Amino acid sequence: MTGAARAVGRSLLNALLTLVIVVALWWAVVNLTGISPYVAKGPVDVWQFLFTDEDAALHRAEMAPLLVQTLSDAALGFVVGMLVAVVLAIAFSLSRSVEMGVMPLALLLRSVPLVAIAPVIILITGRGTPASVAVIGSIVVLFPALASVLFGLSRASKESLDLVHVYGGGRATQLRKVNVPGALPSLFAAARVSVPGAVTGALLAEWLSTGQGIGGMIQKFSASARFDELWASVALITVITLVLYNVVQVIENVVLARMGMPTGSR
């Protein structure tokens, strides 16, 4: 079995184990804490609601557009956040002055709870606009990704950097040929961490700004005592997030195995 195949197998096994643990914890919380079954719905209840009830098809049809909207919002925040993180990390590596000028602002934004500054962001970008979703989602993604990519870029071999310099390469060439390829494990790690972060940012943006998607409907489901829909929507977005996380991990393990780099899965 090739290294890439072993990496994929480990990733799939990890994904299955994670799903089993999540379902077990969910069942334990619902059944062992004494919460009213009218409010708390377990894995079996949600499965029946979505797949075996007479109206299961209607229930799935109701959930589908909400899920698509939330995933679209999460993808927007993920892409914007990752791109900004990579650009800033490269800019910091090229110029100490840029890092000293921008990093304090980044730390300031990081230190303030997103819920506290979200109203200001919405006021500037407009309520219900894609810009508000992109900004809120990207802030959640940006800082963990920036720290991870910066760490990866700083781990380049000094001997390799000196070799590029001896052959006449400048700092930009060193980045392109040494720093960036060596930072791939950190970049993939940032992408994995950013997937659930992007989903969280999308849910927050929908709740505070757009009123659409799962984030916008959770409060409405709760207020109208539609607990089946509430638990089903939360379960769906959780499962999809786990799937996406593990898809990124599979891609990471395959790419790093082909490049002869250590993979994240053991």
Side-chain angles (χ1 to χ4, degrees):
M1 182 182 292
T2 65
R6 286 195 298 269
V8 172
R10 287 195 299 267
S11 297
L12 294 177
L13 182 61
N14 290 339
L16 180 60
L17 180 61
T18 301
L19 183 60
V20 170
I21 292 174
V22 169
V23 172
L25 290 175
W26 178 12
W27 180 91
V29 169
V30 170
N31 291 276
L32 303 180
T33 56
I35 304 176
S36 170
Y38 174 73
V39 175
K41 306 298 179 182
V44 175
D45 299 317
V46 171
W47 179 268
Q48 292 174 345
F49 179 78
L50 291 175
F51 298 105
T52 62
D53 285 352
E54 292 182 0
D55 297 329
L58 294 176
H59 298 158
R60 292 196 301 271
E62 180 185 15
M63 294 291 111
L66 302 179
L67 186 62
V68 169
Q69 181 64 54
T70 297
L71 291 178
S72 299
D73 293 337
L76 179 60
F78 176 83
V79 171
V80 173
M82 286 297 296
L83 285 177
V84 173
V86 171
V87 170
L88 285 179
I90 293 176
F92 291 171
S93 298
L94 289 173
S95 173
R96 182 71 176 173
S97 299
V98 174
E99 181 179 4
M100 295 177 63
V102 177
M103 186 60 79
L105 177 60
L107 293 176
L108 176 63
L109 288 174
R110 179 61 175 171
S111 64
V112 179
L114 184 55
V115 175
I117 62 174
V120 178
I121 296 173
I122 294 170
L123 181 65
I124 295 173
T125 58
R127 179 175 294 276
T129 62
S132 65
V133 175
V135 173
I136 293 174
S138 63
I139 288 177
V140 178
V141 170
L142 173 61
F143 300 105
L146 177 60
S148 181
V149 176
L150 275 174
F151 175 74
L153 292 175
S154 67
R155 295 182 62 192
S157 166
K158 186 177 184 301
E159 291 77 9
S160 299
L161 295 174
D162 290 341
L163 180 63
V164 174
H165 179 69
V166 167
Y167 279 93
R171 182 67 186 115
T173 304
Q174 290 176 331
L175 270 173
R176 180 168 55 87
K177 292 185 175 294
V178 179
N179 294 89
V180 172
L184 280 179
S186 295
L187 182 62
F188 277 115
R192 278 191 284 114
V193 173
S194 297
V195 166
V199 174
T200 300
L203 294 173
L204 182 62
E206 291 170 349
W207 173 44
L208 296 175
S209 177
T210 67
Q212 300 176 348
I214 290 176
M217 289 301 297
I218 283 179
Q219 188 175 7
K220 298 175 183 177
F221 288 151
S222 178
S224 57
R226 298 169 62 186
F227 297 114
D228 287 313
E229 288 89 342
L230 174 63
W231 284 85
S233 60
V234 172
L236 283 173
I237 196 62
T238 301
V239 170
I240 293 298
T241 302
L242 289 174
V243 169
L244 292 176
Y245 177 93
N246 284 280
V247 166
V248 175
Q249 189 172 62
V250 168
I251 296 173
E252 172 190 6
N253 289 338
V254 170
V255 172
L256 296 185
R258 288 184 178 277
M259 295 182 67
M261 295 182 175
T263 61
S265 299
R266 299 293 179 206

